[in-house]
Amino acid sequence: QAQVVESGGGLVQAGGSLRLVCAASGGAEISYAMGWFRQAPGKEREFVAAINWSDRSTYYAASVKDRFTISRDNAKKVVYLQMNNLTPGDTAVYYCAGDTYHHSIVTVATAYDYWGQGTQVTVSS
């Protein structure tokens, strides 16, 4: 019953911005942390950012730290990923995931319990 659903992907020019939205329900909203991952065709799934559900502590991959911002709205049970200064290298399917076990933010995909269906982000040059 626990699930997360992503939305907000699309096509954007290099230098543009998108905001991804992850809606949590069915118990996923009480995960210790919510994370964003991405996967480009033929490549491994890559950690992007994560946020602790209660204290709002965050962690970012080095490649996005100065461009992306993860945030949450506890009342709405929603996590956002604001992506600015996008480049073609950011093109991927972006996934939202919940970690219900670990007591600190973990960046490996196998640590996360619940996954959304993914939303496509395409950045043109």
Side-chain angles (χ1 to χ4, degrees):
Q1 190 173 18
Q3 62 180 346
V4 293
V5 179
E6 308 97 332
S7 62
L11 175 64
V12 65
Q13 294 180 353
S17 299
L18 287 172
R19 188 181 72 166
L20 305 185
V21 181
C22 174
S25 64
E29 69 272 22
I30 61 172
S31 299
Y32 166 76
M34 300 296 296
W36 288 96
F37 291 77
R38 66 187 183 186
Q39 187 166 21
K43 302 186 70 175
E44 296 180 347
R45 189 163 297 188
E46 175 189 20
F47 173 80
V48 176
I51 185 168
N52 180 279
W53 195 253
S54 60
D55 68 8
R56 300 174 66 177
S57 60
T58 59
Y59 191 83
Y60 296 90
S63 60
V64 307
K65 187 173 183 178
D66 295 325
R67 300 184 296 121
F68 293 8
T69 302
I70 188 170
S71 61
R72 62 166 172 80
D73 185 331
N74 282 15
K76 296 182 181 295
K77 300 179 180 179
V78 169
V79 177
Y80 302 98
L81 183 68
Q82 179 67 45
M83 306 186 296
N84 298 325
N85 303 123
L86 286 162
T87 74
D90 297 315
T91 295
V93 177
Y94 283 70
Y95 298 91
C96 183
D99 178 358
T100 64
Y101 178 77
H102 300 91
H103 292 177
S104 61
I105 291 176
V106 178
T107 62
V108 294
T110 53
Y112 289 77
D113 305 291
Y114 306 107
W115 291 85
Q117 81 288 349
T119 186
Q120 177 70 47
V121 172
T122 302
V123 185
S124 65
S125 59

